[in-house]
Amino acid sequence: LKLGNLIVTMPEVGLSVEHVENDELLLFCWDVGGQYHDRIWPLCSYYLQGSAALIFVVDSHDHDRLGDAADQLQMALREMGQHAMQNFVLLVLANKQDLPGALSAYEVAERLGLPQLSGTHWHVTPCSARTGTQDGLSDGMTWVQ
């Protein structure tokens, strides 16, 4: 998302918000740390008003924590409310596809419970943040637009 620049990050404790913009798209990226997520998700309904999409990034290589990611996604969608969910699209970026043993887009969708969502247009794009557009990231952004 940073247009080819590799950004070194540390595990998030709390919340980090970053703004990414190009000619066609304006993104406000929230990195929600695992420790305070129950306090942060209730805020999302305020910040997502008027948004066209929710982009949810998961580690498709970390099989053990995908259940936690599913819980977090369900919590976010619940906080947003049914009306908001019908007015935007959900893109799931299944990150770390460059690692052996990463789950497929279909497997990620199943583990997140996406087929059971009603009234929400969703899509799972396999990608690799390390290699960027070569592995699906641009495809996902195109789908959102």
Side-chain angles (χ1 to χ4, degrees):
L1 291 178
K2 282 299 209 174
L3 306 175
N5 297 323
L6 185 60
I7 307 296
V8 178
T9 62
M10 298 294 291
E12 192 63 46
V13 178
L15 172 69
S16 171
V17 179
E18 189 159 340
H19 161 232
V20 179
E21 186 174 0
N22 68 21
D23 293 338
E24 301 173 12
L25 198 57
L26 170 63
L27 299 173
F28 289 94
C29 304
W30 289 38
D31 185 353
V32 179
Q35 295 176 340
Y36 301 106
H37 53 75
D38 56 336
R39 296 182 208 159
I40 294 169
W41 283 125
L43 300 174
C44 75
S45 62
Y46 299 106
Y47 289 98
L48 291 174
Q49 290 177 3
S51 295
L54 173 63
I55 302 172
F56 193 79
V57 182
V58 298
D59 181 342
S60 62
H61 185 258
D62 191 346
H63 301 220
D64 295 334
R65 293 188 58 210
L66 209 50
D68 293 337
D71 293 343
Q72 294 307 307
L73 178 58
Q74 294 302 322
M75 185 184 304
L77 295 174
R78 225 178 5 261
E79 290 295 334
M80 290 171 59
Q82 187 65 28
H83 176 71
M85 288 173 36
Q86 294 175 347
N87 295 319
F88 76 91
V89 297
L90 169 64
L91 171 64
V92 175
L93 295 176
N95 193 25
K96 299 191 180 179
Q97 290 292 308
D98 55 320
L99 298 178
L103 296 173
S104 68
Y106 174 81
E107 292 169 312
V108 168
E110 288 293 320
R111 296 246 187 131
L112 293 177
L114 299 182
Q116 288 75 40
L117 289 179
S118 62
T120 300
H121 298 289
W122 58 267
H123 180 71
V124 178
T125 298
C127 68
S128 169
R130 180 177 300 190
T131 59
T133 58
Q134 298 172 1
D135 287 300
L137 193 55
S138 64
D139 294 338
M141 295 299 118
T142 299
W143 182 84
V144 166
Q145 293 175 358

